[in-house]
Amino acid sequence: MASTEEIRSGLADIVNEVAGIPADTVQLDKSFTDDLDVDSLSMVEVVVAAEEQFGVTIPDDDVKNLKTVGDAVAYIENAQPA
Amino acid sequence: MSSARVVVTGLGATSPVGGTVTDTWSALLAGTSGARVLEEEWATDLPARIAARVAVEPTEVLERVKARRLDRSGQFALVAALEGWADSGLADADVDHDRLGVAIASGIGGVSTLLSNYDMLRAKGPRLVSPLAIPMLMPNSPAANVGLAIGARAGVHTPVSACASGNEAIAHGLDMIRLGRADVVVVGGTEAAIHPLPMAAFANMGALSRRNDDPTAASRPWDVDRDGFLLGEGAAVLVIESAEHAEARGARVYAELAGAGITADSHDIAQPDPAGLGATRAMRTALVEGGLEPRDVVHINAHATSTPQGDVAECLAITNALSGETDHVVITSTKSMTGHLLGAAGALESMATVLALHHRVVPPTINLDTRDSAVKLDLATEQRTLPAGDVAALNNSFGFGGHNVAIAFRSA
């Protein structure tokens, strides 16, 4: 299982790849839309890439609750296969 | 319709022979071919394994995140449009964006995006299909993205008429200005169809040259040994504006966009009318609309794709359109060097036509070793100069579906 920091770091690389946001600015307290300017289509790409990388499933109904990087990291952490 | 004069004030291109207008034009004058053997694994089993890829990859020019949200056809269009926009001087000018339009065509659209997402769908399921696929693959995506980049709000259009699309976009922009709907329009075409599916399909129609062992000799318009076209890729744009608008801002004018002629053969879905009647009417209409006589025409950049039928039919049409007054007309096919850019062909070749009038020099047709005896016209096999004074030139584009679009330019 990946640690919190490993998930944050992996997610930061995905956000950088998809949206061009510098990876070091992708911190737990940052909002995807308000702070990082990740638009809705890019968010879909981020979620699908994260599912692939961490071996989790994030249903669309749950995606709308992932406001911050911290929300996403916590979700992935809980959803990871044991 | 008003009789507003319309002029060309900016040019942009990314082509198989150069990443910019300057590099493309130098290469055309030098007779440089952009053709090569496709080394990709997917090309191995294709009957035609040669093509003319762009000289400079758009990802070397565009910002990475911008590029990954565009189909390759959109990348080409954006590169060419930004160059043309800067070249016109409008990038740094006070522009009325409500009077700025775009008409950028594509013959095939975002085929690479469509098919790569289908590959992903088959391999990994619907979840992995990109949420960006639709805004990337829709045929109007290049025009829309160019419109976004320059802030065009007078209307953004994507005419589709196969290999006549680029010229139809130019004609559409001309109409927009003459109808009073815009002062400035970025017009042109883009194409990125070097992918195994369209290449297999074109080859199975018998349309592509199979000179796999000698790619730079494959595109040979009017030569007795021509055996089909060479597929090219890239984009070109012209920035056109009302002469009044250009004059008011002291713009540099390359040439006047004098007129356009659009006709349909109504003969066959893929074969040109052997008598070239539709092509003849297109050229005549362009001349009439531009207030030009056959004797004014000193140069034609022909459609001439290097197919056995089309090249000869076009020459017949040229002779008829000019009522036999062809002795003073220097004709070339720059497709001998760039290959056939389908929906971008008319745009790239109109750019070459404009530069030929501007610099008074015509690029050669390469590979024309033994001319087809059915062709009696003056074909440029080397660089040729054009006379001084007020002269005119035509660019022809014809497409599957029987579309014919001729564009007439007058020297500035």
Side-chain angles (χ1 to χ4, degrees):
Chain A
M1 272 180 58
S3 71
T4 304
E5 175 49 25
E6 284 165 350
I7 295 170
R8 187 210 61 79
S9 170
L11 202 55
D13 288 341
I14 291 169
V15 171
N16 174 258
E17 170 63 25
V18 168
I21 315 291
D24 59 4
T25 65
V26 183
Q27 297 296 336
L28 296 178
D29 62 336
K30 292 291 193 291
S31 157
F32 285 109
T33 50
D34 298 342
D35 298 322
L36 301 176
D37 208 20
V38 175
D39 65 24
S40 60
L41 295 186
S42 296
M43 192 62 196
V44 176
E45 286 197 287
V46 168
V47 167
V48 171
E51 287 182 331
E52 286 279 290
Q53 180 160 339
F54 298 110
V56 299
T57 301
I58 311 176
D60 289 345
D61 282 349
D62 291 342
V63 172
K64 61 178 182 292
N65 299 322
L66 307 180
K67 306 289 186 201
T68 66
V69 175
D71 294 341
V73 170
Y75 191 99
I76 292 165
E77 207 164 10
N78 288 328
Q80 279 187 112
Chain B
M1 184 179 290
S2 83
S3 56
R5 287 177 58 239
V6 175
V7 294
V8 180
T9 56
L11 298 171
T14 182
S15 81
V17 297
T20 61
V21 170
T22 303
D23 289 351
T24 297
W25 182 241
S26 303
L28 292 179
L29 290 180
T32 312
S33 171
R36 66 173 175 80
V37 175
L38 293 170
E39 304 290 352
E40 291 87 341
E41 197 184 336
W42 55 253
T44 313
D45 296 330
L46 291 177
R49 296 183 294 280
I50 50 178
R53 283 219 182 268
V54 288
V56 177
E57 279 297 314
T59 47
E60 291 176 31
V61 183
L62 297 173
E63 189 224 332
R64 181 183 64 81
V65 173
K66 186 79 212 166
R68 75 181 291 281
R69 297 177 74 108
L70 294 171
D71 180 74
R72 191 167 170 83
S73 62
Q75 294 174 355
F76 294 155
L78 191 59
V79 169
L82 292 177
E83 184 192 12
W85 191 235
D87 183 52
S88 72
L90 287 161
D92 305 315
D94 188 16
V95 176
D96 180 353
H97 292 271
D98 289 349
R99 303 282 304 158
L100 170 62
V102 171
I104 292 184
S106 172
I108 308 270
V111 65
S112 295
T113 298
L114 177 69
L115 293 170
S116 66
N117 275 277
Y118 186 57
D119 291 343
M120 186 62 86
L121 175 74
R122 304 252 297 186
K124 294 194 165 184
R127 183 72 172 163
L128 271 292
V129 172
S130 171
L132 301 173
I134 298 296
M136 288 169 71
L137 71 84
M138 58 191 194
N140 56 311
S141 181
N145 276 287
V146 168
L148 283 169
I150 63 172
R153 296 197 292 255
V156 171
H157 307 274
T158 304
V160 177
S161 47
C163 306
S165 303
N167 266 4
E168 188 157 346
I170 296 170
H172 191 90
L174 177 63
D175 288 350
M176 288 172 78
I177 296 172
R178 287 191 168 161
L179 288 167
R181 291 178 180 154
D183 295 325
V184 181
V185 188
V186 176
V187 297
T190 186
E191 204 72 79
I194 300 177
H195 176 286
L197 193 141
M199 287 201 67
F202 277 125
N204 292 347
M205 292 179 85
L208 294 183
S209 170
R210 302 188 182 198
R211 201 176 286 261
N212 294 315
D213 56 348
D214 194 5
T216 61
S219 186
R220 42 196 316 113
W222 302 300
D223 186 88
V224 289
D225 292 325
R226 66 191 185 279
D227 71 328
F229 74 78
L230 170 80
L231 184 61
E233 64 173 5
V237 305
L238 285 62
V239 178
I240 61 172
E241 56 187 293
S242 71
E244 188 183 357
H245 190 273
E247 199 169 320
R249 68 184 188 90
R252 175 261 334 270
V253 172
Y254 285 106
E256 180 183 341
L257 172 51
I262 302 179
T263 66
D265 282 349
S266 196
H267 168 75
D268 185 84
I269 195 68
Q271 299 296 331
D273 173 3
L277 297 178
T280 302
R281 284 190 298 120
M283 284 182 265
R284 280 190 180 154
T285 304
L287 292 176
V288 168
E289 193 176 303
L292 296 162
E293 300 289 338
R295 65 174 175 274
D296 297 322
V297 179
V298 295
H299 167 50
I300 298 176
N301 190 310
H303 186 59
T305 60
S306 186
T307 55
Q309 275 205 355
D311 292 12
V312 172
E314 183 178 9
C315 286
L316 181 62
I318 288 171
T319 302
N320 290 335
L322 299 182
S323 307
E325 292 186 57
T326 56
D327 289 352
H328 57 293
V329 185
V330 179
I331 296 169
T332 198
S333 171
T334 42
K335 285 191 184 77
S336 61
M337 296 171 277
T338 63
H340 188 357
L341 273 67
L342 310 180
L348 184 63
E349 290 150 25
S350 283
M351 181 206 84
T353 309
V354 165
L355 287 173
L357 283 176
H358 186 64
H359 296 295
R360 308 276 168 161
V361 59
V362 172
T365 301
I366 65 168
N367 299 321
L368 183 45
D369 298 332
T370 309
R371 149 203 303 251
D372 188 314
S373 61
V375 178
K376 308 295 183 196
L377 301 171
D378 182 3
L379 308 176
T381 52
E382 54 191 24
Q383 241 186 68
R384 297 276 295 277
T385 56
L386 293 177
D390 295 334
V391 293
L394 290 169
N395 173 243
N396 284 338
S397 284
F398 313 130
F400 287 157
H403 310 276
N404 310 293
V405 187
I407 304 289
F409 296 97
R410 184 187 277 118
S411 58

